[in-house]
Amino acid sequence: MLDMNTVRSELSEIYDLRPSAELAESLSDIYKKMDRVVTPPDFLQAAPYIKAINDLKRERNAVILAHNYMTPDIFHGISDVVGDSLQLAIEAAKVEADVIVQGGVHFMAETSKILSPQKTVLMPDMEAGCSLAESITPAGIEEMRKQFPGAPVVTYVNTTAEVKAASDICCTSSNAIQIVEALEADTVIMTPDQYLAQNVAQKVKNKRIVWWEGSCIVHEQYTAQDINEFREWNPGTVVIAHPECPPSVVEASDFSGSTSGIIKYVTDNKPEKAMLVTECSMASNIADSLPEVDFVGPCNMCPYMKMITLEKVLWSLHTMTTQIEVDPAVAEGARVAVQRMIDMSKKLGL
């Protein structure tokens, strides 16, 4: 666990992290990308970190991959590549850099290391885990295989390297339906997200889909009653849900899609009012590019994603001590499952 007092003390000795109106003004182009959701005083505090990180990553020949759930200061201020899990997995293998800094949670950094073993992969906070990833182990995969002999195991990328290595192929929320449809099997095991599996089963009627009973602490909290009551209170709102939500929530919504699918839907349709039934930062990160859309309604925050901060990113790049390592034997098995997903996605035109 990071000792933040030590982190702050050492960083303040090396970098000028005092708020500066002049510096904030020099970064006005960056601020324009987030000024709808980040106040000027908050950006004044963030600006020194943004400058220090962007300067340091050039020195280190580093790139920052940021998931859509990162806070706006990270998403717009320092990231080089943004997207959902599939997009980041693909880019992790393509980026030309010596160092990858993962703006996301631990399993994402593992995936980057698996696909780019020759690169240094930094995880700003090793404690940034994932409740969904922690819900399954290789033993759980073996248990499912015994229950359904011969059925291929499709594992969500929101899992550890060990679980990926025990699986046949990975998927993300953006390609799960197509991956399952493309498999030559009557029965398919999906792990670990029960709700993603149930939502896929609603679309893929010609296969028997069985699942592990895991779930995401962000998306499992939503209920159809929440959606229906919000519609009564705020009519005309377009409700857009992530497929990690329970099927009843997806059914009550107007559209369901991955984080990249949500962004595309809102960008293409530009509803007057939209409620994003997913993690809070999704709306924040696209708000400034869609001024005509009023993002309304409640959202749930991922405590793990929010463990990644500008301060920790700077510390990670400064010390180069927060490196991700994956056992080579495990990495090879996981790489096969992830690469199968990437190859099949390309073949399917995704």
Side-chain angles (χ1 to χ4, degrees):
M1 183 177 295
L2 289 173
D3 180 345
M4 294 310 297
N5 288 329
T6 299
V7 167
R8 290 174 185 130
S9 176
E10 185 167 332
L11 289 179
S12 65
E13 292 178 4
I14 306 297
Y15 305 95
D16 184 358
L17 300 175
R18 295 169 298 177
S20 163
E22 184 178 354
L23 176 60
E25 178 60 31
S26 73
L27 299 177
S28 60
D29 286 348
I30 291 176
Y31 184 49
K32 287 177 183 176
K33 300 175 183 177
M34 61 180 101
D35 63 3
R36 188 175 169 189
V37 293
V38 175
T39 66
D42 284 338
F43 187 72
L44 199 68
Q45 296 285 335
Y49 290 91
I50 290 171
K51 182 182 185 304
I53 291 167
N54 286 334
D55 288 346
L56 189 54
K57 73 182 182 183
R58 284 189 286 271
E59 286 182 33
R60 301 278 198 234
N61 190 25
V63 296
I64 297 176
L65 309 184
H67 190 268
N68 290 319
Y69 295 166
M70 288 290 96
T71 52
D73 52 1
I74 292 173
F75 189 87
H76 293 298
I78 62 172
S79 63
D80 300 286
V81 180
V82 298
D84 63 12
S85 297
L86 176 59
Q87 292 166 321
L88 296 185
I90 292 172
E91 290 303 320
K94 295 194 315 189
V95 293
E96 293 185 6
D98 297 321
V99 179
I100 293 173
V101 183
Q102 195 74 44
V105 290
H106 196 274
F107 74 80
M108 296 179 182
E110 278 191 337
T111 302
S112 291
K113 185 64 177 179
I114 288 163
L115 294 175
S116 301
Q118 75 284 6
K119 295 184 175 73
T120 298
V121 176
L122 301 177
M123 183 68 217
D125 190 332
M126 292 291 187
E127 301 297 314
C130 172
S131 60
L132 184 58
E134 291 163 6
S135 73
I136 181 109
T137 64
I141 299 286
E142 185 60 28
E143 179 184 326
M144 293 292 284
R145 287 192 188 277
K146 288 178 180 177
Q147 289 182 43
F148 306 98
V153 176
V154 180
T155 288
Y156 200 22
V157 292
N158 299 32
T159 47
T160 64
E162 289 82 4
V163 168
K164 290 181 177 73
S167 308
D168 295 299
I169 188 171
C170 288
C171 74
T172 71
S173 55
S174 62
N175 65 15
I177 292 172
Q178 294 88 339
I179 293 285
V180 171
E181 282 181 330
L183 292 173
E184 295 181 0
D186 295 326
T187 299
V188 175
I189 299 167
M190 292 191 70
T191 68
D193 193 309
Q194 60 180 316
Y195 297 131
L196 176 64
Q198 290 166 26
N199 286 316
V200 169
Q202 294 288 333
K203 301 290 184 180
V204 184
K205 301 291 189 179
N206 63 329
K207 295 181 187 292
R208 179 191 183 197
I209 298 175
V210 295
W211 52 81
W212 184 262
E213 293 189 357
S215 56
C216 165
I217 59 171
V218 169
H219 296 99
E220 70 180 351
Q221 297 178 51
Y222 293 103
T223 68
Q225 182 177 348
D226 294 335
I227 307 301
N228 294 329
E229 288 179 353
F230 187 82
R231 285 188 194 280
E232 291 180 10
W233 174 66
N234 204 331
T237 300
V238 174
V239 179
I240 305 163
H242 193 281
E244 289 179 22
C245 293
S248 59
V249 172
V250 170
E251 185 178 355
S253 302
D254 297 294
F255 175 80
S256 175
S258 66
T259 55
S260 60
I262 289 172
I263 292 171
K264 185 177 188 308
Y265 180 88
V266 177
T267 302
D268 290 348
N269 293 277
K270 294 182 175 61
E272 182 179 341
K273 291 185 292 185
M275 175 184 177
L276 304 191
V277 188
T278 185
E279 213 278 342
C280 292
S281 287
M282 273 292 300
S284 298
N285 288 333
I286 61 177
D288 279 86
S289 63
L290 295 166
E292 59 272 77
V293 180
D294 183 14
F295 292 97
V296 298
C299 65
N300 293 327
M301 187 175 292
C302 175
Y304 302 108
M305 289 284 186
K306 297 307 180 269
M307 292 174 74
I308 307 303
T309 64
L310 289 173
E311 193 172 47
K312 291 176 183 177
V313 172
L314 180 57
W315 174 258
S316 183
L317 267 174
H318 170 67
T319 63
M320 299 291 289
T321 57
T322 58
Q323 297 186 23
I324 290 288
E325 299 295 343
V326 181
D327 179 270
V330 171
E332 181 55 34
R335 188 178 301 114
V336 170
V338 174
Q339 194 60 51
R340 281 176 181 158
M341 172 190 71
I342 292 172
D343 292 344
M344 187 174 288
S345 295
K346 288 179 181 177
K347 184 177 179 181
L348 296 171
L350 304 177

